[in-house]
Amino acid sequence: MRKAIVLAVFLLAITCSPALAKADISYLQNVAQRSVQITFNGGLDGVCLWGETPALGKTTIAVHDPDTEMSTCRLDGLEPGTLYYYNTVANDKLISGSFTTAPDRDNTFNFVVIGDTRTDHVGHQSVIDGILQYNPSGYPDLFFNVGDMVGDGGDKDQWGEFFTTELEILSNTIFIPIIGNHETVSKHTWFDSLFVQQRHYWFKYGNSLFIIMDTEGRYGPNNEQYQMVADALEQAEADPEIVFKFVSTNRESPAAVTAPTGPSSSTTSTCSRNTTLMSSLTATTTSMNMDTSTEFTTW
Protein backbone atom coordinates (compact mmCIF):
# COMPACT_ATOMS: atom_id res chain seq x y z
CA MET A 1 0.00 0.00 0.00
CA ARG A 2 1.37 3.38 -0.96
CA LYS A 3 0.59 6.30 1.26
CA ALA A 4 1.40 10.00 0.94
CA ILE A 5 0.92 12.17 4.00
CA VAL A 6 0.79 15.91 3.43
CA LEU A 7 0.81 18.46 6.24
CA ALA A 8 0.02 21.98 5.03
CA VAL A 9 0.72 24.94 7.30
CA PHE A 10 0.44 28.64 6.59
CA LEU A 11 1.89 31.56 8.49
CA LEU A 12 1.38 35.26 8.17
CA ALA A 13 4.41 37.19 9.24
CA ILE A 14 5.28 40.26 11.06
CA THR A 15 9.10 41.21 12.92
CA CYS A 16 14.09 41.02 12.96
CA SER A 17 18.01 39.24 14.12
CA PRO A 18 22.00 36.27 14.05
CA ALA A 19 24.02 36.63 10.83
CA LEU A 20 24.80 33.52 8.84
CA ALA A 21 28.33 33.21 10.26
CA LYS A 22 27.13 33.22 13.89
CA ALA A 23 24.03 31.06 13.59
CA ASP A 24 23.97 27.27 13.96
CA ILE A 25 23.07 26.10 10.46
CA SER A 26 22.81 22.69 8.81
CA TYR A 27 20.39 21.78 6.04
CA LEU A 28 19.92 18.98 3.52
CA GLN A 29 19.30 19.47 -0.20
CA ASN A 30 19.21 17.81 -3.58
CA VAL A 31 18.38 14.28 -2.43
CA ALA A 32 18.33 11.30 -4.78
CA GLN A 33 18.36 7.57 -4.21
CA ARG A 34 22.16 7.49 -4.02
CA SER A 35 23.23 11.03 -3.11
CA VAL A 36 22.49 14.09 -0.98
CA GLN A 37 24.07 17.46 -0.19
CA ILE A 38 24.63 18.83 3.32
CA THR A 39 25.23 22.57 3.76
CA PHE A 40 26.42 24.07 7.04
CA ASN A 41 28.41 26.96 8.50
CA GLY A 42 31.34 27.25 10.85
CA GLY A 43 34.48 28.02 8.85
CA LEU A 44 36.90 26.97 6.13
CA ASP A 45 37.95 23.48 7.20
CA GLY A 46 34.57 21.77 7.39
CA VAL A 47 34.00 18.03 7.15
CA CYS A 48 30.99 15.71 7.25
CA LEU A 49 31.22 12.49 9.27
CA TRP A 50 28.50 10.06 8.26
CA GLY A 51 27.29 6.47 8.14
CA GLU A 52 24.32 4.11 8.49
CA THR A 53 24.62 4.04 12.28
CA PRO A 54 25.29 6.76 14.89
CA ALA A 55 28.87 5.45 14.99
CA LEU A 56 29.29 7.10 11.55
CA GLY A 57 32.63 5.89 10.09
CA LYS A 58 32.91 7.79 6.79
CA THR A 59 34.32 11.27 6.10
CA THR A 60 33.66 13.77 3.30
CA ILE A 61 35.59 17.07 3.00
CA ALA A 62 33.35 20.11 2.53
CA VAL A 63 33.69 22.79 -0.16
CA HIS A 64 33.58 26.27 1.37
CA ASP A 65 31.81 29.29 -0.16
CA PRO A 66 33.29 32.54 1.25
CA ASP A 67 30.39 34.58 -0.13
CA THR A 68 27.73 32.86 1.98
CA GLU A 69 30.17 31.62 4.65
CA MET A 70 28.70 28.15 4.09
CA SER A 71 30.32 24.78 3.42
CA THR A 72 28.77 21.90 1.47
CA CYS A 73 29.42 18.15 1.42
CA ARG A 74 28.09 15.95 -1.37
CA LEU A 75 27.62 12.36 -0.25
CA ASP A 76 27.55 9.74 -3.02
CA GLY A 77 27.28 5.97 -3.18
CA LEU A 78 24.30 5.82 -0.84
CA GLU A 79 21.53 3.19 -0.78
CA PRO A 80 17.91 4.03 -1.73
CA GLY A 81 15.37 4.54 1.06
CA THR A 82 18.05 4.25 3.74
CA LEU A 83 18.46 6.20 6.98
CA TYR A 84 21.86 7.85 7.46
CA TYR A 85 23.36 9.76 10.39
CA TYR A 86 25.90 12.57 10.13
CA ASN A 87 27.86 15.23 11.99
CA THR A 88 29.05 18.47 10.43
CA VAL A 89 32.28 19.74 11.99
CA ALA A 90 33.94 23.14 11.42
CA ASN A 91 36.06 25.22 13.82
CA ASP A 92 34.99 23.10 16.81
CA LYS A 93 31.30 23.60 15.92
CA LEU A 94 29.50 20.27 15.64
CA ILE A 95 25.91 19.75 14.45
CA SER A 96 24.33 16.30 14.32
CA GLY A 97 21.52 15.22 12.03
CA SER A 98 20.04 12.45 9.91
CA PHE A 99 18.35 11.94 6.56
CA THR A 100 16.72 9.25 4.45
CA THR A 101 17.58 8.86 0.77
CA ALA A 102 14.83 8.88 -1.86
CA PRO A 103 12.73 5.71 -1.74
CA ASP A 104 11.63 3.21 -4.35
CA ARG A 105 8.15 3.49 -5.86
CA ASP A 106 6.41 1.26 -3.31
CA ASN A 107 7.81 2.82 -0.13
CA THR A 108 5.73 5.14 2.03
CA PHE A 109 6.99 8.69 2.52
CA ASN A 110 5.59 11.91 3.95
CA PHE A 111 6.20 15.61 3.44
CA VAL A 112 5.31 18.91 5.10
CA VAL A 113 4.40 22.20 3.38
CA ILE A 114 4.64 25.60 5.12
CA GLY A 115 5.06 29.18 3.90
CA ASP A 116 5.18 32.90 4.71
CA THR A 117 7.49 32.48 7.69
CA ARG A 118 9.11 35.91 7.12
CA THR A 119 9.94 37.68 10.41
CA ASP A 120 7.41 36.34 12.91
CA HIS A 121 10.03 34.24 14.71
CA VAL A 122 7.80 33.28 17.65
CA GLY A 123 5.01 32.05 15.38
CA HIS A 124 7.54 30.40 13.10
CA GLN A 125 9.08 28.48 16.01
CA SER A 126 5.68 27.34 17.27
CA VAL A 127 4.83 25.90 13.85
CA ILE A 128 8.16 24.03 13.64
CA ASP A 129 7.60 22.67 17.16
CA GLY A 130 4.10 21.55 16.16
CA ILE A 131 5.36 19.73 13.07
CA LEU A 132 8.02 17.91 15.07
CA GLN A 133 5.47 16.90 17.69
CA TYR A 134 2.85 15.75 15.18
CA ASN A 135 4.90 13.81 12.64
CA PRO A 136 4.54 10.12 13.50
CA SER A 137 8.02 9.11 12.29
CA GLY A 138 9.83 11.89 14.15
CA TYR A 139 10.83 13.87 11.06
CA PRO A 140 9.15 14.24 7.66
CA ASP A 141 11.03 12.98 4.62
CA LEU A 142 10.65 16.24 2.67
CA PHE A 143 10.07 19.76 3.99
CA PHE A 144 8.73 22.43 1.60
CA ASN A 145 8.70 26.16 2.28
CA VAL A 146 6.64 27.76 -0.49
CA GLY A 147 8.30 31.15 -0.31
CA ASP A 148 8.54 34.39 1.65
CA MET A 149 10.83 32.52 4.03
CA VAL A 150 12.28 35.85 5.17
CA GLY A 151 11.02 39.41 4.98
CA ASP A 152 13.95 40.56 2.81
CA GLY A 153 15.99 38.01 0.84
CA GLY A 154 18.96 40.38 0.78
CA ASP A 155 19.24 40.57 4.59
CA LYS A 156 21.76 38.06 5.99
CA ASP A 157 20.53 38.56 9.55
CA GLN A 158 17.04 37.44 8.58
CA TRP A 159 18.43 34.32 6.91
CA GLY A 160 20.44 33.61 10.05
CA GLU A 161 17.27 33.80 12.14
CA PHE A 162 15.42 31.62 9.64
CA PHE A 163 18.01 28.83 9.78
CA THR A 164 18.29 29.09 13.57
CA THR A 165 14.54 28.63 13.98
CA GLU A 166 14.43 25.65 11.63
CA LEU A 167 17.71 24.01 12.70
CA GLU A 168 16.25 20.80 14.09
CA ILE A 169 13.95 20.07 11.18
CA LEU A 170 16.36 21.21 8.45
CA SER A 171 19.23 19.11 9.83
CA ASN A 172 17.03 15.99 9.74
CA THR A 173 14.81 16.53 6.68
CA ILE A 174 15.40 17.20 2.99
CA PHE A 175 14.61 20.90 2.38
CA ILE A 176 12.75 22.05 -0.73
CA PRO A 177 12.78 25.90 -0.89
CA ILE A 178 10.51 27.78 -3.31
CA ILE A 179 11.34 31.39 -4.14
CA GLY A 180 8.79 34.09 -3.27
CA ASN A 181 8.47 37.82 -3.78
CA HIS A 182 10.07 38.60 -0.41
CA GLU A 183 13.18 36.65 -1.41
CA THR A 184 13.56 39.10 -4.32
CA VAL A 185 12.54 42.35 -2.61
CA SER A 186 16.18 43.55 -2.66
CA LYS A 187 18.34 43.83 -5.79
CA HIS A 188 20.60 41.14 -4.32
CA THR A 189 19.03 38.02 -2.86
CA TRP A 190 20.89 35.32 -0.95
CA PHE A 191 18.38 32.71 -2.15
CA ASP A 192 20.40 31.75 -5.24
CA SER A 193 23.64 31.45 -3.26
CA LEU A 194 22.24 29.47 -0.34
CA PHE A 195 20.39 26.79 -2.29
CA VAL A 196 21.85 24.50 -4.92
CA GLN A 197 18.72 24.10 -7.06
CA GLN A 198 17.66 26.51 -9.76
CA ARG A 199 14.59 28.66 -9.15
CA HIS A 200 12.50 26.25 -11.21
CA TYR A 201 13.10 22.53 -11.61
CA TRP A 202 11.48 19.14 -11.10
CA PHE A 203 12.43 15.93 -9.36
CA LYS A 204 11.10 12.43 -8.86
CA TYR A 205 10.72 11.07 -5.34
CA GLY A 206 9.28 7.61 -4.80
CA ASN A 207 6.02 7.36 -6.74
CA SER A 208 5.65 11.14 -7.12
CA LEU A 209 6.73 13.95 -9.42
CA PHE A 210 7.39 17.35 -7.81
CA ILE A 211 7.55 20.48 -9.97
CA ILE A 212 9.01 23.63 -8.37
CA MET A 213 8.01 26.87 -10.08
CA ASP A 214 9.24 30.46 -9.89
CA THR A 215 6.23 32.79 -9.85
CA GLU A 216 8.61 35.78 -9.77
CA GLY A 217 9.99 34.74 -13.15
CA ARG A 218 8.58 34.62 -16.67
CA TYR A 219 6.11 31.99 -17.73
CA GLY A 220 4.49 31.50 -21.12
CA PRO A 221 4.66 29.53 -24.37
CA ASN A 222 8.25 29.11 -25.65
CA ASN A 223 9.58 30.25 -22.25
CA GLU A 224 12.18 28.09 -20.50
CA GLN A 225 10.10 27.59 -17.36
CA TYR A 226 6.96 26.76 -19.36
CA GLN A 227 8.93 24.18 -21.35
CA MET A 228 10.39 22.71 -18.15
CA VAL A 229 6.89 22.06 -16.81
CA ALA A 230 5.72 20.59 -20.12
CA ASP A 231 8.76 18.31 -20.34
CA ALA A 232 8.36 17.16 -16.73
CA LEU A 233 4.70 16.27 -17.22
CA GLU A 234 5.44 14.49 -20.47
CA GLN A 235 8.18 12.40 -18.87
CA ALA A 236 5.96 11.64 -15.88
CA GLU A 237 3.16 10.46 -18.14
CA ALA A 238 5.55 8.00 -19.75
CA ASP A 239 6.87 6.77 -16.38
CA PRO A 240 4.73 3.94 -14.95
CA GLU A 241 6.20 4.53 -11.48
CA ILE A 242 4.68 8.04 -11.19
CA VAL A 243 1.33 8.00 -9.36
CA PHE A 244 1.12 11.57 -8.05
CA LYS A 245 2.14 14.94 -9.51
CA PHE A 246 2.59 18.00 -7.28
CA VAL A 247 3.29 21.58 -8.39
CA SER A 248 4.74 23.97 -5.78
CA THR A 249 4.58 27.76 -6.17
CA ASN A 250 4.73 30.85 -3.98
CA ARG A 251 1.77 32.61 -5.54
CA GLU A 252 -1.07 31.16 -7.54
CA SER A 253 0.30 29.36 -10.58
CA PRO A 254 0.91 31.79 -13.46
CA ALA A 255 -1.11 29.43 -15.63
CA ALA A 256 -3.09 26.28 -15.05
CA VAL A 257 -0.75 23.30 -14.78
CA THR A 258 -2.48 19.98 -15.34
CA ALA A 259 -1.45 16.50 -16.29
CA PRO A 260 -1.79 15.48 -19.93
CA THR A 261 -5.03 13.74 -20.72
CA GLY A 262 -4.95 9.99 -21.05
CA PRO A 263 -5.61 6.75 -19.20
CA SER A 264 -3.28 7.50 -16.28
CA SER A 265 -4.91 7.53 -12.84
CA SER A 266 -2.32 9.95 -11.46
CA THR A 267 -3.33 13.35 -10.15
CA THR A 268 -1.82 16.83 -10.28
CA SER A 269 -2.36 19.17 -7.34
CA THR A 270 -0.91 22.57 -6.54
CA CYS A 271 0.97 23.46 -3.34
CA SER A 272 1.26 27.19 -2.85
CA ARG A 273 0.86 29.64 0.01
CA ASN A 274 -2.47 30.70 -1.44
CA THR A 275 -5.56 29.23 0.19
CA THR A 276 -6.41 27.50 -3.09
CA LEU A 277 -4.13 24.73 -1.82
CA MET A 278 -6.84 23.62 0.58
CA SER A 279 -9.50 23.24 -2.09
CA SER A 280 -6.96 21.65 -4.46
CA LEU A 281 -6.05 18.94 -1.97
CA THR A 282 -9.69 18.34 -1.08
CA ALA A 283 -10.65 18.06 -4.73
CA THR A 284 -7.96 15.51 -5.52
CA THR A 285 -8.37 13.21 -2.52
CA THR A 286 -11.24 11.18 -3.97
CA SER A 287 -9.53 10.38 -7.27
CA MET A 288 -6.31 9.46 -5.45
CA ASN A 289 -8.17 7.04 -3.22
CA MET A 290 -9.26 5.13 -6.29
CA ASP A 291 -5.69 3.95 -6.76
CA THR A 292 -3.97 4.20 -3.39
CA SER A 293 -4.49 5.08 0.26
CA THR A 294 -3.83 8.77 0.80
CA GLU A 295 -4.13 10.90 3.91
CA PHE A 296 -4.18 14.70 3.74
CA THR A 297 -3.82 16.60 6.99
CA THR A 298 -4.13 20.40 7.15
CA TRP A 299 -3.67 22.70 10.13
Side-chain angles (χ1 to χ4, degrees):
M1 179 182 293
R2 299 182 296 275
K3 185 177 182 183
I5 304 174
V6 183
L7 310 179
V9 184
F10 295 90
L11 294 179
L12 292 178
I14 324 176
T15 301
C16 190
S17 242
L20 292 174
K22 298 179 181 179
D24 289 335
I25 298 172
S26 177
Y27 55 99
L28 297 148
Q29 308 177 79
N30 207 23
V31 70
Q33 289 190 330
R34 298 191 179 277
S35 63
V36 75
Q37 290 184 239
I38 306 171
T39 299
F40 59 101
N41 70 337
L44 294 173
D45 301 319
V47 298
C48 295
L49 311 175
W50 58 279
E52 293 186 39
T53 71
L56 308 177
K58 299 181 180 180
T59 301
T60 298
I61 305 299
V63 176
H64 185 70
D65 180 353
D67 188 34
T68 61
E69 303 163 300
M70 296 291 191
S71 299
T72 297
C73 293
R74 179 183 171 90
L75 310 187
D76 292 300
L78 310 179
E79 294 298 322
T82 301
L83 174 64
Y84 288 88
Y85 300 87
Y86 72 91
N87 290 340
T88 61
V89 183
N91 287 348
D92 297 324
K93 177 186 287 189
L94 184 151
I95 299 175
S96 299
S98 64
F99 64 89
T100 300
T101 48
D104 295 322
R105 170 198 165 106
D106 294 328
N107 288 3
T108 295
F109 70 95
N110 63 67
F111 64 95
V112 173
V113 181
I114 73 170
D116 267 339
T117 44
R118 298 194 214 175
T119 53
D120 179 9
H121 308 312
V122 174
H124 186 183
Q125 186 66 65
S126 69
V127 169
I128 298 300
D129 292 344
I131 292 169
L132 295 173
Q133 181 178 10
Y134 176 87
N135 198 65
S137 64
Y139 298 104
D141 296 298
L142 301 176
F143 179 53
F144 291 73
N145 190 312
V146 290
D148 296 350
M149 290 174 274
V150 295
D152 182 347
D155 189 327
K156 268 192 175 181
D157 286 343
Q158 290 188 24
W159 283 110
E161 186 66 46
F162 170 84
F163 285 117
T164 297
T165 301
E166 297 200 351
L167 174 62
E168 182 175 357
I169 195 167
L170 291 185
S171 58
N172 292 280
T173 303
I174 305 302
F175 186 43
I176 314 295
I178 292 91
I179 196 164
N181 57 299
H182 279 267
E183 276 72 59
T184 61
V185 70
S186 295
K187 288 185 178 180
H188 173 76
T189 176
W190 289 103
F191 181 93
D192 299 312
S193 300
L194 291 168
F195 305 117
V196 297
Q197 298 93 341
Q198 297 179 355
R199 294 188 179 190
H200 57 268
Y201 61 98
W202 65 273
F203 65 96
K204 177 181 174 181
Y205 191 92
N207 62 4
S208 298
L209 171 78
F210 291 92
I211 298 175
I212 310 303
M213 294 187 65
D214 172 15
T215 51
E216 301 308 301
R218 298 180 61 189
Y219 185 91
N222 302 318
N223 174 266
E224 178 189 359
Q225 183 170 201
Y226 182 97
Q227 192 60 50
M228 180 275 294
V229 174
D231 290 345
L233 292 175
E234 182 178 355
Q235 291 188 46
E237 191 67 11
D239 187 342
E241 293 188 351
I242 297 296
V243 179
F244 302 114
K245 305 180 184 78
F246 296 93
V247 179
S248 297
T249 70
N250 174 251
R251 310 187 196 214
E252 289 186 16
S253 300
V257 180
T258 58
T261 57
S264 173
S265 62
S266 58
T267 305
T268 302
S269 55
T270 302
C271 300
S272 75
R273 69 186 177 93
N274 191 279
T275 53
T276 54
L277 171 61
M278 300 300 197
S279 59
S280 174
L281 292 181
T282 301
T284 60
T285 300
T286 302
S287 59
M288 286 181 172
N289 281 338
M290 293 171 61
D291 181 64
T292 186
S293 174
T294 306
E295 176 186 343
F296 290 105
T297 302
T298 56
W299 294 352

